[in-house]
Amino acid sequence: MASTSTLISMLRQIMKRQALVCAVIVVIGLVVGGLTTGTTGLWGAALGGVVAVIFVGTTGLSMLAAVGREPHMVMLLVLGLWIVKMVVVVAILVGV
């Protein structure tokens, strides 16, 4: 099994790549949204991008927090965060 420092280093590298992919997708969304529906499309793409970045970031942070923990604690952390994310999605959809 890999050492804790190796896992942390790997997860940090993954999070950097995720941030880059999210940034590219947000820029593409902003361009497409702006060209197709104007300001409304820009706001929609911006909101979607913020939600995506937060969700991807919290997943990476939860994995960093889970390194070296007992399996049941990892499961609790991941499942708990997933439930919180679903509540946020429902709140956003109901609010819109």
Side-chain angles (χ1 to χ4, degrees):
M1 183 169 173
S3 70
T4 301
S5 62
T6 303
L7 290 173
I8 290 173
S9 174
M10 180 182 66
L11 286 169
R12 286 186 177 155
Q13 184 64 30
I14 290 169
M15 288 179 65
K16 288 177 188 175
R17 291 179 183 178
Q18 287 176 334
L20 178 63
V21 170
C22 280
V24 169
I25 290 172
V26 167
V27 168
I28 292 170
L30 288 170
V31 169
V32 171
L35 291 175
T36 57
T37 58
T39 306
T40 305
L42 286 174
W43 281 111
L47 178 62
V50 167
V51 170
V53 167
I54 290 171
F55 279 28
V56 168
T58 56
T59 299
L61 291 174
S62 71
M63 291 296 101
L64 277 174
V67 171
R69 301 209 187 270
E70 295 293 324
H72 67 280
M73 291 303 294
V74 173
M75 192 168 59
L76 177 67
L77 179 67
V78 171
L79 181 61
L81 184 61
W82 183 83
I83 290 170
V84 169
K85 287 179 182 182
M86 292 308 106
V87 168
V88 169
V89 166
V90 169
I92 289 172
L93 291 175
V94 169
V96 173

